[in-house]
Amino acid sequence: MTTEEKNTALYRKMYAEQEDFRKWLMSQPPEIILEHAYEYKLKEDILLSLEYNDLEDIKAEALLRLDQPLQKLYERLDSRETGYMDSVWDTIEECASPEN
């Protein structure tokens, strides 16, 4: 398998995983859907990133070996400290500035 084929296989596997999650989510009551909205969006962002970037063979193979690579990536990303809230606050302050 070429690098491109491995990355395509990984994307398809993760896309199918997301579709299963989406189908489950859409069968839930609104409260549950809201509880999982962030998870759904973050997984969509993971898929988008994978769509526009290729992993090295060894890394694509490692993720392909996982039963649920999308879930694993979501859990890892969700547990990371990011500057997202700092960006939110910076934007609030910027928009609240009298010059705007």
Side-chain angles (χ1 to χ4, degrees):
M1 235 190 215
T2 67
T3 299
E4 184 177 340
E5 290 170 333
K6 288 175 187 175
N7 277 276
T8 299
L10 178 61
Y11 178 83
R12 287 181 177 158
K13 182 176 184 173
M14 290 170 50
Y15 183 85
E17 187 181 338
Q18 180 71 339
E19 281 300 298
D20 289 344
F21 179 60
R22 182 186 168 288
K23 287 175 187 170
W24 171 82
L25 195 57
M26 295 303 291
S27 70
Q28 301 302 308
E31 298 80 24
I32 300 298
I33 294 171
L34 283 175
E35 284 177 25
H36 290 277
Y38 173 75
E39 179 179 355
Y40 182 82
K41 175 61 176 134
L42 191 51
K43 287 179 176 180
E44 286 288 306
D45 289 345
I46 292 167
L47 284 171
L48 184 63
S49 183
L50 192 60
E51 186 175 351
Y52 289 101
N53 299 284
D54 282 335
L55 290 167
E56 299 168 11
D57 284 358
I58 195 165
K59 292 179 180 181
E61 291 165 0
L63 289 175
L64 277 167
R65 283 192 296 272
L66 297 174
D67 288 333
Q68 293 184 305
L70 185 58
Q71 183 64 28
K72 177 73 170 182
L73 290 168
Y74 163 74
E75 289 169 0
R76 181 71 58 92
L77 190 55
D78 188 46
S79 69
R80 281 190 166 180
E81 291 288 327
T82 67
Y84 176 73
M85 290 307 291
D86 292 333
S87 294
V88 170
W89 182 247
D90 290 345
T91 302
I92 291 169
E93 286 190 317
E94 180 183 308
C95 286
S97 175
E99 297 88 46
N100 287 325

